[in-house]
Amino acid sequence: YTGWYTLSLHDALPILVNRGSRGEIDVFPGQPLANPLQGNVVDLCPVGALLDKGFLFKQRVWLLKSTPSISPVDSRGQTIWIDHNEQGIHRIRPRFNERVNEWWISDEARFGWKHVHRPDRLNQPRVCVINSLRPEPWEAMPEILRTSLSEAARQNGGAAVAAVLSPMMSCEEAWLLAQFVRSIAPQATLALGYVPVVGTDRTFPKGFVIKAEKCPNRRGVETIIQHYGGRTCDFHTLLGQAVEGRFKAAYVVGGYPDAWVTDDIAAALAKVEFLIVHDLFPTPLDATADVQIPAATWAEREGTFMNCDGLLQPFARALVPLEGVKADGQFFYELAGQSGLFNAAK
């Protein structure tokens, strides 16, 4: 029993102390359960002695639904189950995948969903009127964006238009937005958005890897940008071009669970004449945004992520989007001139 944990979790050593009715599961003296995979002991314990205190006594498990998904916390693409009900997400569990994470998930994947229920999420489209962002109905947004981008694209085939495709987007979402922008501005610049990297890759026994790259779909978005070709660049280059005043309009997608807009990013994008920001939370970009569009979290969307090794993996929607929010894929589907419900599988 102890040896099995040791093999799987490296420096975690749960053991049985005392005897009989006083027996308890504890850690070996001087070997605390403190590593990025420690949450797996909750799934492994055969007697239920090791529990997740964040989930303990919160929900009856038979009241939960389980939806297959892909963790968005790093580029490895760990496969997970989202356990949820009408009240939202309650826990994340590993889903077996022989090619990626086998039976394990990192603590980031297990506990990194709390942003889904943050109280400061954006929940209504807004358009800048007299230096103030004011609510606008979703039905009006496609025409507003088409008109504004068309105005910016009147000269040079739309070379003054840009789209920043976030690595938090699904492949389908990135495809639809790129298609929409290029249909209006054939010479528009497509750029991969900010790629968060924290520390270095960490490899554990049996080949489990926690990637330093903290986004799920950089490879997928890069592939789509390469497919469309034409004017493309990386995020740093795009910011430099924005500082030079090259862009009359830009559609910038965020969707990150953590703060990502630095002072330099905000200052560069403030040079864009017409700035569209599609994001989960308020950011410094709101001060200069002409249009603010609320995004849905990955748990409220469906689509496909391509992991760091080029493996395509689909994920399903677990939750209905926050009230007032439209799923990103549905909105991009409508922007592309399609009607009806968006279905990533089609």
Side-chain angles (χ1 to χ4, degrees):
Y1 184 62
T2 301
W4 204 73
Y5 278 114
T6 305
L7 174 64
S8 303
L9 301 182
H10 190 49
D11 59 340
L13 292 165
I15 59 173
L16 183 65
V17 298
N18 298 325
R19 295 183 177 182
S21 62
R22 293 182 294 176
E24 296 180 3
I25 300 296
D26 202 345
V27 295
F28 195 83
Q31 296 288 333
L33 189 60
N35 65 73
L37 300 176
Q38 62 183 326
N40 288 284
V41 299
V42 173
D43 305 313
L44 297 173
C45 185
V47 296
L50 300 172
L51 303 171
D52 174 6
K53 66 180 182 180
F55 179 69
L56 187 63
F57 304 133
K58 298 295 178 64
Q59 285 287 316
R60 303 295 187 184
V61 294
W62 53 84
L63 298 178
L64 299 177
K65 297 179 181 179
S66 297
T67 298
S69 188
I70 305 298
S71 172
V73 301
D74 69 18
S75 61
R76 183 67 172 166
Q78 301 169 55
T79 50
I80 58 174
W81 292 105
I82 301 177
D83 288 347
H84 60 96
N85 58 19
E86 293 82 359
Q87 298 174 12
I89 299 175
H90 293 283
R91 66 177 178 181
I92 299 291
R93 295 180 293 115
R95 181 164 60 94
F96 178 74
N97 186 328
E98 186 176 9
R99 298 181 62 179
V100 179
N101 52 292
E102 294 191 336
W103 297 272
W104 325 112
I105 54 174
S106 66
D107 287 353
E108 285 181 314
R110 186 181 299 272
F111 304 117
W113 54 267
K114 305 297 176 62
H115 67 282
V116 173
H117 301 304
R118 271 177 52 176
D120 60 338
R121 281 187 55 187
L122 301 175
N123 61 1
Q124 188 170 10
R126 291 176 170 83
V127 175
C128 186
V129 179
I130 315 178
N131 298 320
S132 177
L133 287 170
R134 300 184 181 180
E136 195 74 27
W138 278 103
E139 293 75 15
M141 298 310 297
E143 185 59 30
I144 290 173
L145 296 186
R146 288 192 189 100
T147 300
S148 300
L149 292 177
S150 295
E151 179 67 24
R154 284 186 176 179
Q155 297 179 351
N156 302 324
V161 175
V164 177
L165 308 181
S166 169
M168 306 302 293
M169 302 173 75
S170 71
C171 293
E172 294 81 0
E173 292 160 355
W175 174 279
L176 287 170
L177 182 56
Q179 182 183 68
F180 166 69
V181 172
R182 281 286 177 82
S183 69
I184 293 176
Q187 297 301 315
T189 297
L190 301 180
L192 173 69
Y194 166 69
V195 177
V197 176
V198 179
T200 59
D201 293 354
R202 299 187 63 180
T203 302
F204 295 85
K206 300 190 70 176
F208 187 95
V209 179
I210 297 178
K211 302 296 290 186
E213 186 179 285
K214 301 304 180 184
C215 55
N217 200 32
R218 173 187 58 82
R219 285 284 301 271
V221 174
E222 283 182 337
T223 300
I224 288 164
I225 291 174
Q226 291 169 4
H227 167 82
Y228 277 98
R231 294 175 181 267
T232 65
C233 66
D234 58 34
F235 189 52
H236 178 75
T237 300
L238 181 133
L239 293 178
Q241 294 173 349
V243 169
E244 296 169 357
R246 175 171 173 175
F247 301 116
K248 291 185 176 181
Y251 195 124
V252 178
V253 181
Y256 303 90
D258 301 309
W260 67 279
V261 180
T262 63
D263 291 342
D264 289 343
I265 292 174
L269 294 177
K271 300 292 185 179
V272 178
E273 293 183 22
F274 189 85
L275 180 63
I276 305 160
V277 179
H278 196 148
D279 213 341
L280 288 169
F281 307 106
T283 72
L285 295 180
D286 299 340
T288 54
D290 295 278
V291 176
Q292 181 192 69
I293 302 173
T297 66
W298 107 101
E300 300 160 338
R301 295 155 32 212
E302 60 177 292
T304 306
F305 290 148
M306 179 184 289
N307 78 354
C308 56
D309 298 318
L311 177 65
L312 282 168
Q313 299 185 109
F315 62 97
R317 190 184 81 176
L319 305 178
V320 174
L322 180 71
E323 185 175 358
V325 175
K326 181 174 290 190
D328 299 15
Q330 180 65 42
F331 182 61
F332 296 143
Y333 191 64
E334 295 169 4
L335 277 184
Q338 303 295 326
S339 59
L341 295 177
F342 168 71
N343 186 325
K346 296 182 180 180

